Amino acid sequence: MQINYAKKEVSCKLVYYGPGMSGKTTNLEIIHEKVPNQNKGEMTSIATEGDRTLFFDFLPLDLGKVRGMSTKFQLYTVPGQVYYSSTRKLVLQGADGVIFVADSQAEKLAENIESLKDLEKNLDEYGLKLNEIPLVIQWNKRDLPSAMDVEELDKEVNWPGAATTEAVAAMGDGVLPTLKLAASIILDRLNSKEPGAETKTAKMSPEDKAKKEEVYVASVNADKISRGYFNQYCQAQYRLAAKSDEIDDFKKFSPEDKSKLLESLVNHVLLLQDAKSRNIGASPDEVEAQINAFSKRFNSSGDLDGYLAKRKLSMDNLRNEATKNVIIGKIIKDIIPDVKTKLHVSDSEIAEYYNANVNKFGGKDLEGVKAHVKAGLKNKRKKALLGAFFLKLRENAIIEVYKDKI
Amino acid sequence: MKDEHLRTKRLVYYTEDLGLVDKLLGEFLKLASAKSIYLVDKDGHLVTQKGHSQSINPETISALVAGSFAATKEMARVLGEAEFTVMFHQGKKDHIHISLVSERAITAIVFDDQTTVGMVNLYSKELTAKLGKIFDIASKRAVQKEQIEEDYSDSVKERLDDMFKD
Ligand SMILES: Nc1nc2c(ncn2[C@@H]2O[C@H](COP(=O)(O)OP(=O)(O)OP(=O)(O)O)[C@@H](O)[C@H]2O)c(=O)[nH]1
Ligand SMILES: [Mg+2]
């Protein structure tokens, strides 16, 4: 900390520490996004091509004059990857406080512990102890299905007995409360109050949560869609549709993609509303049957679990998807009684399509691709029918989309 | 007290000392014909600056200067050198000269072709010696009467609350 009476300035240094990919840089990005312009400087990142932090990220915050002193917080992140330990030590020099961003996922437990030990070692080089420096542990990535219970994490990781917070940094949840808590602890030291007075665990309070949910991205016949729900929907859709298991923890979408996804979520809500008015629901058995059909792809139930874990999907994600499919199936039957005949694809249609697109099939004969073409055509027709159905639903609905909120 | 250690590590600059420092920095700029000079503490906080540089954000340059100095120091350690005390980066138009002042502080000097590295080096050595002396005296001086107001911390917390309102 620097106290500069000549310039009437107080400047504190706060360092975000933690294992690779735990969300340190994301914390800074969110702060940069949320803090009013007059209170922040530019964010500087020394990073690799692939956005991994190489040296540090830096974001200066300016709180303006407080009690006659210009007050500043300099926020830094360290690179989390194991082999950058000496770089982390350099960034840590002179830190007034540390925010340890832990990755809540069960498979990251060992990395969290290793990183906290690394912090302990590096602090020791400056003659500091883990339980002496102002420290806040942020349990991040609470949104991921394999996130461990907070109590469990606290038992396994929080041996310094630090104050803790919960966060979904990628969605902006819990980021500012974490910073605020760390700042408070540092400030209490400054005026030499007994430390510990305010280091109780600060969970996201119910009011905080309520406040977050007040941000809506759309309203469909007076059913409101919160931004948090929308974000989760986007991530789940991305994971469900991913072509391989190589997926991001948190997919960033372009504004266009978000608009499209919101469109599809609005359809989803319309569908559920319509189903309700028709008294159509999906019984647990029916949902289970859908899931069973899906899990036939896998040899054993363990494989399904493995598939879900790799894609960071939860059983709930799957269940929602299955429920939607069951309901769609029933509605289709309801609104188009003769759906079987409407969806029937005749041999002559298949032949016609084949002949028109023969170059697409790389020399394979009609017999060889028949089943494939049939399924494709059927799907197309189903989509067209659904499209018409949604168009009608939309015509009779009151839909508001708050573009600036997505 | 438990946090005694932390409190003594706080870097405090009193008005009296910095007045003198500012004067020296101003003189240096004239003598060496350099554009601007930043005094930065090793933790990356800006202590004071003199001269004009259009687009440089002083906070960011401070963090980067301290960071690269720390990295250089680590390099020296690996090579078995005690410490590299001077660093110089040459650009097309502007150049930067970074040197260690005392245990605690670093100067970063921005200059262009109005002058030469030799000149900057020469005068910065003199400056460094003088600054070192000031800091030495300052560190031995008893605590001054300048102090932070008692409810400062609580006021900062309130300010943070305002700032973080969504
Ligand atoms: N699902 C989810 N993903 C997150 C969350 N926070 C961050 N991420 C994602 O995790 C990935 C890594 O985030 P970064 O902030 O770059 O991680 P880092 O800790 O700075 O990583 P290093 O610089 O390598 O140490 C990014 O894809 C983020 O979008 C979260 O709360 N939930
Ligand atoms: Mg990073």
Side-chain angles (χ1 to χ4, degrees):
Chain A
M1 182 178 305
Q2 187 198 103
I3 301 177
N4 193 321
Y5 289 109
K7 292 199 300 165
K8 301 215 175 310
E9 199 173 288
V10 174
S11 173
C12 297
K13 177 169 176 177
L14 237 172
V15 176
Y16 284 76
Y17 213 93
M21 299 290 266
S22 69
K24 302 175 290 296
T25 299
T26 308
N27 263 272
L28 249 64
E29 285 169 346
I30 292 293
I31 295 166
H32 186 249
E33 192 182 302
K34 290 201 168 178
V35 163
N37 276 333
Q38 76 265 20
N39 296 118
K40 69 187 174 200
E42 228 175 279
M43 177 161 165
T44 306
S45 294
I46 305 181
T48 65
E49 197 79 28
D51 276 349
R52 305 295 303 267
T53 304
L54 181 63
F55 197 167
F56 58 75
D57 304 301
F58 173 68
L59 174 64
L61 293 185
D62 184 352
L63 279 62
K65 267 214 174 353
V66 182
R67 299 268 136 197
M69 298 296 273
S70 262
T71 303
K72 300 189 167 167
F73 277 89
Q74 322 288 1
L75 311 184
Y76 291 76
T77 73
V78 300
Q81 297 178 76
V82 178
Y83 44 87
Y84 291 137
S85 183
S86 60
T87 315
R88 279 192 288 281
K89 192 182 89 192
L90 301 180
V91 179
L92 205 54
Q93 164 157 331
D96 298 300
V98 175
I99 289 172
F100 185 89
V101 180
D103 190 326
S104 298
Q105 298 179 88
E107 61 271 28
K108 295 296 166 81
L109 180 62
E111 283 179 46
N112 288 324
I113 293 173
E114 184 185 6
S115 177
L116 194 59
K117 283 190 177 145
D118 175 74
L119 171 62
E120 190 162 32
K121 192 184 103 233
N122 280 333
L123 281 174
D124 189 58
E125 304 234 358
Y126 295 115
L128 294 168
K129 295 261 174 314
L130 255 191
N131 55 7
E132 283 174 9
I133 191 160
L135 173 69
V136 173
I137 299 181
Q138 178 189 71
W139 308 124
N140 189 32
K141 305 202 181 183
R142 299 305 306 158
D143 59 318
L144 292 179
S146 69
M148 291 168 64
D149 281 345
V150 173
E151 291 73 26
E152 194 70 16
L153 279 166
D154 205 70
K155 216 172 75 199
E156 301 280 346
V157 184
N158 189 7
W159 68 86
T164 60
T165 59
E166 290 179 48
V168 184
M171 295 180 191
D173 291 345
V175 169
L176 296 184
T178 307
L179 173 58
K180 169 92 199 301
L181 180 62
S184 304
I185 299 175
I186 294 174
L187 289 161
D188 286 343
R189 295 277 176 97
L190 177 63
N191 272 15
S192 329
K193 276 189 199 152
E194 269 311 308
E198 248 185 274
T199 56
K200 276 179 268 105
T201 300
K203 295 237 170 68
M204 248 189 267
S205 71
E207 299 119 81
D208 275 357
K209 276 194 177 151
K211 237 194 273 160
K212 296 255 151 53
E213 275 153 17
E214 268 166 25
V215 182
Y216 297 110
V217 291
S219 132
V220 182
N221 291 325
D223 268 349
K224 293 192 163 174
I225 302 176
S226 76
R227 181 157 66 192
Y229 182 78
F230 173 57
N231 279 332
Q232 279 177 17
Y233 176 81
C234 292
Q235 297 304 319
Q237 290 303 310
Y238 156 70
R239 289 173 196 149
L240 283 163
K243 290 251 168 11
S244 83
D245 289 338
E246 289 288 312
I247 57 155
D248 298 337
D249 271 1
F250 190 81
K251 165 88 175 157
K252 294 205 171 92
F253 293 101
S254 68
E256 296 80 51
D257 287 346
K258 279 200 173 176
S259 291
K260 273 194 206 132
L261 280 158
L262 185 56
E263 197 91 327
S264 95
L265 177 55
V266 167
N267 280 350
H268 187 159
V269 172
L270 281 168
L271 181 77
L272 294 179
Q273 286 174 349
D274 187 65
K276 209 170 175 188
S277 71
R278 290 169 195 270
N279 245 332
I280 291 177
S283 72
D285 285 350
E286 289 165 323
V287 173
E288 216 48 47
Q290 271 275 328
I291 293 179
N292 280 339
F294 176 75
S295 42
K296 283 227 180 75
R297 282 213 237 158
F298 305 98
N299 295 328
S300 67
S301 67
D303 289 349
L304 174 63
D305 291 343
Y307 168 86
L308 291 176
K310 272 199 207 116
R311 302 202 161 209
K312 303 196 193 293
L313 284 164
S314 66
M315 210 50 205
D316 277 346
N317 292 139
L318 202 58
R319 217 166 266 136
N320 281 342
E321 211 45 32
T323 308
K324 187 171 81 183
N325 286 342
V326 170
I327 291 179
I328 289 183
K330 285 189 182 173
I331 289 187
I332 289 184
K333 269 193 205 131
D334 205 33
I335 50 170
I336 319 167
D338 50 347
V339 65
K340 267 240 158 68
T341 45
K342 281 217 166 133
L343 286 183
H344 180 73
V345 181
S346 68
D347 280 353
S348 60
E349 274 175 283
I350 296 173
E352 194 181 319
Y353 183 85
Y354 177 83
N355 290 331
N357 298 283
V358 71
N359 49 343
K360 267 202 217 158
F361 296 106
K364 285 191 193 140
D365 65 3
L366 178 57
E367 266 327 293
V369 297
K370 192 167 174 184
H372 178 72
V373 172
K374 188 171 180 177
L377 286 175
K378 196 168 164 182
N379 225 343
K380 230 179 184 171
R381 200 165 302 166
K382 209 165 164 185
K383 270 203 178 136
L385 284 174
L386 273 177
F389 167 65
F390 278 123
L391 215 61
K392 210 145 131 222
L393 278 186
R394 278 174 176 267
E395 268 169 20
N396 299 320
I398 304 167
I399 299 170
E400 283 173 74
V401 171
Y402 314 118
K403 276 248 152 57
D404 54 318
K405 295 286 192 299
I406 61 176
Chain B
M1 193 182 250
K2 205 163 126 197
D3 57 339
E4 189 57 40
H5 183 67
L6 285 178
R7 238 177 314 132
T8 51
K9 274 207 137 181
R10 233 179 254 160
L11 292 168
V12 183
Y13 295 93
Y14 294 109
T15 312
E16 202 185 321
D17 305 318
L18 272 199
L20 203 53
V21 170
D22 277 339
K23 206 174 127 238
L24 286 174
L25 297 189
E27 281 169 14
F28 165 83
L29 283 186
K30 272 202 207 113
L31 284 170
S33 309
K35 287 167 87 172
S36 56
I37 178 163
Y38 303 83
L39 184 67
V40 178
D41 75 39
K42 272 197 180 175
D43 304 341
H45 304 288
L46 176 71
V47 179
T48 183
Q49 77 184 91
K50 272 270 158 301
H52 58 94
S53 14
Q54 329 74 352
S55 57
I56 301 178
N57 176 325
E59 235 110 57
T60 306
I61 200 79
S62 300
L64 291 171
V65 161
S68 62
F69 207 93
T72 315
K73 185 178 165 182
E74 193 63 17
M75 238 185 305
R77 201 184 57 79
V78 172
L79 290 176
E81 278 282 334
E83 191 147 56
F84 294 131
T85 49
V86 175
M87 248 164 67
F88 169 58
H89 300 293
Q90 183 162 19
K92 265 214 182 83
K93 220 169 87 263
D94 284 343
H95 324 295
I96 188 162
H97 178 286
I98 302 174
S99 60
L100 189 65
V101 173
S102 68
E103 270 308 291
R104 298 269 4 155
I106 303 159
T107 55
I109 301 155
V110 180
F111 64 98
D112 59 14
D113 294 335
Q114 299 275 312
T115 182
T116 61
V117 197
M119 292 278 278
V120 170
N121 221 347
L122 178 71
Y123 287 113
S124 91
K125 269 203 190 110
E126 274 179 24
L127 174 71
T128 302
K130 285 183 200 159
L131 288 176
K133 229 174 258 160
I134 296 179
F135 288 146
D136 201 33
I137 296 168
S139 70
K140 285 180 188 131
R141 202 199 331 267
V143 179
Q144 295 247 326
K145 56 181 181 308
E146 282 177 314
Q147 263 190 358
I148 293 213
E149 283 182 44
E150 212 155 276
D151 55 353
Y152 172 77
S153 292
D154 289 333
S155 309
V156 176
K157 283 190 221 167
E158 276 166 31
R159 182 67 58 89
L160 279 171
D161 277 337
D162 285 350
M163 220 167 100
F164 291 170
K165 262 204 301 261
D166 242 332

